[in-house]
Amino acid sequence: MYFVDVVLPLPLAGSFTYAVPAEMQRKIGIGFRAIVPFGKRKFYTAIILRLHNNPPKGVEVKEIHSLIDSRPMVNEHQVRLWEWISFYYMASLGDVYKAAVPSLMKPQDLEEKFKSKTETFIRLNTGINDIEQLIGRAKKQAKLYQALKKLFSEESGKQIPKKEIVAKTGCSDSVLKGLIEKKIVIQYAEEVSRLDKQVAASRKPFKLNVQQQKAFEEINRCFEEKNVCLLHGVTSSGKTEIYIHLIEERLKLKQQTLYLVPEIALTTQLTSRLQAVFGDKLGIYHSKINDSERTEIWQKMLSESPYEIVIGVRSSLFLPFRQLGLVIVDEEHETSYKQQEPAPRYHARDTAIVLAQTFEAKTLLGSATPAIETFYNAKTGKYGWVTLEQRFDNIELPKITFENTQELRRTKKMKTVLAPALIEKINKALESGEQVILFRNRRGFAPMLECKLCGWTPKCSRCDVSLTYHKNRQELKCHYCNKTYKPVRECPVCHEESVELIGMGTEKLEEEVAKLFPDASIARMDTDTTRGKESYEKIISDFQNKKVQILIGTQMLSKGLDFDNVSVAGIISADGLLNHPDFRSHERGFQLMLQAAGRAGRKNRQGEVVIQTADPGQPVYRYLQANDYEGFFRSQLAERKLFNYPPFKRLILIVFKHKDEDKVESGADFFARLLKQSLGEMVLGPNKPLISRIQQYHIRDILLKLDNNLSPAKIRQFIQSVEARFRENIDFRYIVLHYDVDVTG
């Protein structure tokens, strides 16, 4: 008998064994999709992981119902990557499958859900001689026929989309229908691609300058000895052009390149730069494209003419590459690379390195502010290391100054949310026809409301968080569960109209800036203004084309965007970036501020950056002003070593959730006691997190600080054995439990 192990996209799914009917045995293989029975009268789409002749013991083996594919839809490289993610990040294989494969490729019935896109075309019927006689006295038809002849001649084509004909000739449906009925023109439907039409390359890669050429050669020398290299280049040093030259080398070797970016916002600018050089060799893959487009891209990657370059966010790691030669992880320090919800909670940077290894490919990590762990690996020789210390064309790094907002308020010099010095610099920039970026890493109008008499604060009924006020939509919103509430004026505790707004988000900043600079055109870029598929492109395009003079935004603005006319950048309420109860808060704050500062003065002249802070004596600000990443790295590394944090320890966060607080409390206590029997002081907790209830689920967590020399396989096996004992207790059976490996904070 012939058997297959399959994976199902179910929350608790691992691999399951099914028998293969005799008529399928010659057709089946690894990576095929099969419809399989699961439970009572339910069918699911499964991916075949392996074929064998070993029947499972003590289990009634069901047969595969049918095959969907005539060729594999998942290749062996992907299967190996899925199994590694499942193992390392302690997630079910079913969760990995669910995250990896487009939803239209996972139908839960016996009919394929994906439908090809069709379009109606028109062509002239060249087999008719007596056209004038057929048209007769129908003047409008005669006029349309002459217009069609001219249009087909100009287009030099045999067929033209019907909608294009209607747009260019202005004809009515009835007139065109008349020509169709007389068979003078032929109308028919044809399958078309949803993907971008062919884009021609318009330029060769630019010649590298001396510093770029040196870095390019050093990267190639590094790749001769190591599979991973860090390119540590200051902002605007020309890293992207080096990437383009490396991609060109891989194309000559008939190899594919995956170019990872942390945010969709980056793909807008990078796409146009890469398409100018590589044309239709480039594909784009991210979460804002619809399921049908994702499925078509997947199918193209399986075809005989796949994309040779893919630019995308973390989900593009799962595409079926055939001959991957290079993976570029741009802005590798970005927290957006870490998947949070749902499982698998993988880190795209580290997963990219493993993906490259399955192809024996190379990985290039690029950043002006590398993650502490990445820089440590480079300094200790695990990774190669190449530096770019000068900006392109030797433009000076931006001049960073600090405005002490506490002192300005004490002396009553700060009349608005912007410091006087920043207002003056913005005015000068606008007068010179230059642009300004203002960075505030909190969206909404006000992050909190409070009664000034009794201190009451409105909170979410489902989460332990205060509500954010959004003025444009006139609502209070929970940013954890997205539940909305009506704004309140009267305090429900003291019944006075004494509720006031506390703090400032990007929406309020936009309103204040509009009052200060009434003649300036202003735009805002945050989660609230970029929900639509093309909203990123619209905002960035308007700013690039100087339709917008002042751009206000959250951390999206810090992620590698390239604007050549920005002379001033302002970072508002910088202290909020450093004051999180998280061992990475200073690292993230430093990275965000240095990256945001790097948007200024990228062309022509030195930019100016104003950081507004109530505590300018913070050590991190000294490193920022001097652009001293290595000094900052050394200070952080000393702290990490002292308090047993990465890269000196490995972290695993175990999270427990249940609607009964007593049950989750006792369950976490029981789990921790079992862990401490073997791991001792490496087990911290259980703890009640800062936000201890989300969507009515109470939360507790346990943090494991594990020695680096401990075997991940043995640790996983031990934790799973503890979970098995935990689940034996009927009180704990329905507690939601998940693992966050290499937790980022």
Side-chain angles (χ1 to χ4, degrees), residues 482-502:
N482 290 323
K483 184 174 172 62
T484 58
Y485 303 79
K486 290 182 180 179
V488 292
R489 290 185 178 179
E490 182 183 294
C491 174
V493 177
C494 64
H495 304 291
E496 297 288 339
E497 289 193 3
S498 52
V499 177
E500 61 181 3
L501 303 174
I502 305 293

mmCIF file of all heavy atoms in Angstrom, residues 482-502:
data_model
loop_
_atom_site.group_PDB
_atom_site.id
_atom_site.type_symbol
_atom_site.label_atom_id
_atom_site.label_comp_id
_atom_site.label_asym_id
_atom_site.label_seq_id
_atom_site.Cartn_x
_atom_site.Cartn_y
_atom_site.Cartn_z
ATOM 1 N N ASN A 482 -9.636 47.179 18.081
ATOM 2 C CA ASN A 482 -10.316 48.023 17.079
ATOM 3 C C ASN A 482 -11.772 48.343 17.418
ATOM 4 O O ASN A 482 -12.499 48.841 16.565
ATOM 5 C CB ASN A 482 -10.238 47.394 15.677
ATOM 6 C CG ASN A 482 -8.837 47.443 15.108
ATOM 7 O OD1 ASN A 482 -8.118 48.421 15.325
ATOM 8 N ND2 ASN A 482 -8.436 46.400 14.413
ATOM 9 N N LYS A 483 -12.200 48.066 18.628
ATOM 10 C CA LYS A 483 -13.557 48.448 19.036
ATOM 11 C C LYS A 483 -13.623 49.973 19.156
ATOM 12 O O LYS A 483 -12.679 50.605 19.647
ATOM 13 C CB LYS A 483 -13.914 47.792 20.369
ATOM 14 C CG LYS A 483 -15.352 48.056 20.841
ATOM 15 C CD LYS A 483 -15.662 47.262 22.097
ATOM 16 C CE LYS A 483 -17.005 47.642 22.712
ATOM 17 N NZ LYS A 483 -18.135 47.381 21.817
ATOM 18 N N THR A 484 -14.746 50.563 18.706
ATOM 19 C CA THR A 484 -14.898 52.016 18.748
ATOM 20 C C THR A 484 -16.010 52.419 19.710
ATOM 21 O O THR A 484 -16.948 51.654 19.962
ATOM 22 C CB THR A 484 -15.207 52.581 17.349
ATOM 23 O OG1 THR A 484 -16.401 51.972 16.846
ATOM 24 C CG2 THR A 484 -14.061 52.312 16.397
ATOM 25 N N TYR A 485 -15.890 53.628 20.248
ATOM 26 C CA TYR A 485 -16.847 54.168 21.208
ATOM 27 C C TYR A 485 -17.135 55.627 20.848
ATOM 28 O O TYR A 485 -16.333 56.287 20.179
ATOM 29 C CB TYR A 485 -16.274 54.126 22.635
ATOM 30 C CG TYR A 485 -15.845 52.764 23.115
ATOM 31 C CD1 TYR A 485 -14.622 52.219 22.715
ATOM 32 C CD2 TYR A 485 -16.639 52.030 23.982
ATOM 33 C CE1 TYR A 485 -14.216 50.973 23.159
ATOM 34 C CE2 TYR A 485 -16.233 50.777 24.438
ATOM 35 C CZ TYR A 485 -15.027 50.260 24.026
ATOM 36 O OH TYR A 485 -14.628 49.025 24.469
ATOM 37 N N LYS A 486 -18.261 56.126 21.334
ATOM 38 C CA LYS A 486 -18.587 57.536 21.131
ATOM 39 C C LYS A 486 -17.765 58.388 22.090
ATOM 40 O O LYS A 486 -17.573 58.017 23.250
ATOM 41 C CB LYS A 486 -20.077 57.774 21.365
ATOM 42 C CG LYS A 486 -20.976 57.176 20.289
ATOM 43 C CD LYS A 486 -22.437 57.492 20.578
ATOM 44 C CE LYS A 486 -23.337 56.901 19.489
ATOM 45 N NZ LYS A 486 -24.781 57.183 19.761
ATOM 46 N N PRO A 487 -17.292 59.557 21.648
ATOM 47 C CA PRO A 487 -16.544 60.454 22.552
ATOM 48 C C PRO A 487 -17.426 60.921 23.715
ATOM 49 O O PRO A 487 -18.661 60.988 23.593
ATOM 50 C CB PRO A 487 -16.163 61.627 21.650
ATOM 51 C CG PRO A 487 -16.287 61.120 20.261
ATOM 52 C CD PRO A 487 -17.367 60.092 20.282
ATOM 53 N N VAL A 488 -16.791 61.198 24.824
ATOM 54 C CA VAL A 488 -17.536 61.654 26.008
ATOM 55 C C VAL A 488 -17.049 63.041 26.420
ATOM 56 O O VAL A 488 -15.866 63.366 26.279
ATOM 57 C CB VAL A 488 -17.366 60.668 27.191
ATOM 58 C CG1 VAL A 488 -18.044 59.360 26.905
ATOM 59 C CG2 VAL A 488 -15.886 60.438 27.512
ATOM 60 N N ARG A 489 -17.976 63.853 26.895
ATOM 61 C CA ARG A 489 -17.624 65.166 27.445
ATOM 62 C C ARG A 489 -17.808 65.179 28.961
ATOM 63 O O ARG A 489 -17.033 65.780 29.687
ATOM 64 C CB ARG A 489 -18.498 66.259 26.815
ATOM 65 C CG ARG A 489 -18.184 66.519 25.345
ATOM 66 C CD ARG A 489 -19.007 67.681 24.834
ATOM 67 N NE ARG A 489 -18.700 67.977 23.445
ATOM 68 C CZ ARG A 489 -19.289 68.936 22.734
ATOM 69 N NH1 ARG A 489 -20.234 69.683 23.302
ATOM 70 N NH2 ARG A 489 -18.962 69.154 21.475
ATOM 71 N N GLU A 490 -18.873 64.462 29.396
ATOM 72 C CA GLU A 490 -19.165 64.443 30.824
ATOM 73 C C GLU A 490 -18.544 63.215 31.467
ATOM 74 O O GLU A 490 -18.686 62.092 30.985
ATOM 75 C CB GLU A 490 -20.676 64.428 31.046
ATOM 76 C CG GLU A 490 -21.069 64.460 32.520
ATOM 77 C CD GLU A 490 -22.569 64.376 32.712
ATOM 78 O OE1 GLU A 490 -23.270 65.323 32.296
ATOM 79 O OE2 GLU A 490 -23.035 63.349 33.263
ATOM 80 N N CYS A 491 -17.838 63.421 32.568
ATOM 81 C CA CYS A 491 -17.218 62.313 33.299
ATOM 82 C C CYS A 491 -18.313 61.474 33.963
ATOM 83 O O CYS A 491 -19.157 62.012 34.701
ATOM 84 C CB CYS A 491 -16.262 62.863 34.356
ATOM 85 S SG CYS A 491 -15.582 61.589 35.440
ATOM 86 N N PRO A 492 -18.334 60.151 33.737
ATOM 87 C CA PRO A 492 -19.379 59.305 34.341
ATOM 88 C C PRO A 492 -19.198 59.104 35.840
ATOM 89 O O PRO A 492 -20.104 58.593 36.506
ATOM 90 C CB PRO A 492 -19.222 57.982 33.582
ATOM 91 C CG PRO A 492 -17.805 57.956 33.145
ATOM 92 C CD PRO A 492 -17.425 59.376 32.881
ATOM 93 N N VAL A 493 -18.050 59.502 36.386
ATOM 94 C CA VAL A 493 -17.792 59.329 37.823
ATOM 95 C C VAL A 493 -18.232 60.564 38.603
ATOM 96 O O VAL A 493 -19.028 60.482 39.548
ATOM 97 C CB VAL A 493 -16.298 59.026 38.081
ATOM 98 C CG1 VAL A 493 -16.022 58.933 39.585
ATOM 99 C CG2 VAL A 493 -15.894 57.736 37.386
ATOM 100 N N CYS A 494 -17.733 61.750 38.201
ATOM 101 C CA CYS A 494 -18.073 62.973 38.946
ATOM 102 C C CYS A 494 -19.150 63.802 38.252
ATOM 103 O O CYS A 494 -19.561 64.839 38.759
ATOM 104 C CB CYS A 494 -16.835 63.819 39.196
ATOM 105 S SG CYS A 494 -16.049 64.456 37.692
ATOM 106 N N HIS A 495 -19.580 63.344 37.057
ATOM 107 C CA HIS A 495 -20.689 63.964 36.318
ATOM 108 C C HIS A 495 -20.446 65.445 36.001
ATOM 109 O O HIS A 495 -21.381 66.241 35.965
ATOM 110 C CB HIS A 495 -22.013 63.784 37.070
ATOM 111 C CG HIS A 495 -22.336 62.359 37.368
ATOM 112 N ND1 HIS A 495 -22.676 61.452 36.387
ATOM 113 C CD2 HIS A 495 -22.320 61.669 38.546
ATOM 114 C CE1 HIS A 495 -22.883 60.268 36.941
ATOM 115 N NE2 HIS A 495 -22.676 60.365 38.255
ATOM 116 N N GLU A 496 -19.200 65.784 35.794
ATOM 117 C CA GLU A 496 -18.848 67.139 35.370
ATOM 118 C C GLU A 496 -18.317 67.093 33.935
ATOM 119 O O GLU A 496 -17.739 66.089 33.517
ATOM 120 C CB GLU A 496 -17.772 67.734 36.291
ATOM 121 C CG GLU A 496 -18.195 67.916 37.734
ATOM 122 C CD GLU A 496 -19.192 69.047 37.917
ATOM 123 O OE1 GLU A 496 -19.256 69.934 37.038
ATOM 124 O OE2 GLU A 496 -19.919 69.029 38.931
ATOM 125 N N GLU A 497 -18.525 68.197 33.209
ATOM 126 C CA GLU A 497 -17.963 68.278 31.847
ATOM 127 C C GLU A 497 -16.504 68.709 31.950
ATOM 128 O O GLU A 497 -16.130 69.833 31.645
ATOM 129 C CB GLU A 497 -18.778 69.256 30.993
ATOM 130 C CG GLU A 497 -20.148 68.722 30.629
ATOM 131 C CD GLU A 497 -20.818 69.538 29.538
ATOM 132 O OE1 GLU A 497 -20.186 70.485 29.030
ATOM 133 O OE2 GLU A 497 -21.972 69.220 29.197
ATOM 134 N N SER A 498 -15.694 67.782 32.424
ATOM 135 C CA SER A 498 -14.302 68.104 32.749
ATOM 136 C C SER A 498 -13.313 67.143 32.085
ATOM 137 O O SER A 498 -12.179 67.015 32.522
ATOM 138 C CB SER A 498 -14.108 68.074 34.268
ATOM 139 O OG SER A 498 -14.591 66.841 34.795
ATOM 140 N N VAL A 499 -13.774 66.432 31.039
ATOM 141 C CA VAL A 499 -12.888 65.488 30.340
ATOM 142 C C VAL A 499 -12.059 66.249 29.322
ATOM 143 O O VAL A 499 -12.592 66.984 28.479
ATOM 144 C CB VAL A 499 -13.709 64.381 29.641
ATOM 145 C CG1 VAL A 499 -12.792 63.456 28.855
ATOM 146 C CG2 VAL A 499 -14.503 63.589 30.670
ATOM 147 N N GLU A 500 -10.741 66.099 29.406
ATOM 148 C CA GLU A 500 -9.849 66.805 28.483
ATOM 149 C C GLU A 500 -8.920 65.835 27.778
ATOM 150 O O GLU A 500 -8.704 64.711 28.236
ATOM 151 C CB GLU A 500 -9.029 67.867 29.228
ATOM 152 C CG GLU A 500 -8.121 67.313 30.311
ATOM 153 C CD GLU A 500 -7.345 68.395 31.043
ATOM 154 O OE1 GLU A 500 -7.554 69.584 30.746
ATOM 155 O OE2 GLU A 500 -6.518 68.047 31.903
ATOM 156 N N LEU A 501 -8.374 66.273 26.650
ATOM 157 C CA LEU A 501 -7.473 65.460 25.843
ATOM 158 C C LEU A 501 -6.066 65.529 26.418
ATOM 159 O O LEU A 501 -5.579 66.608 26.775
ATOM 160 C CB LEU A 501 -7.458 65.954 24.392
ATOM 161 C CG LEU A 501 -8.818 65.984 23.674
ATOM 162 C CD1 LEU A 501 -8.671 66.624 22.307
ATOM 163 C CD2 LEU A 501 -9.377 64.579 23.544
ATOM 164 N N ILE A 502 -5.404 64.366 26.482
ATOM 165 C CA ILE A 502 -4.033 64.290 26.998
ATOM 166 C C ILE A 502 -3.131 63.749 25.891
ATOM 167 O O ILE A 502 -3.429 62.717 25.281
ATOM 168 C CB ILE A 502 -3.935 63.359 28.231
ATOM 169 C CG1 ILE A 502 -4.924 63.796 29.321
ATOM 170 C CG2 ILE A 502 -2.510 63.308 28.758
ATOM 171 C CD1 ILE A 502 -4.623 65.129 29.945
#
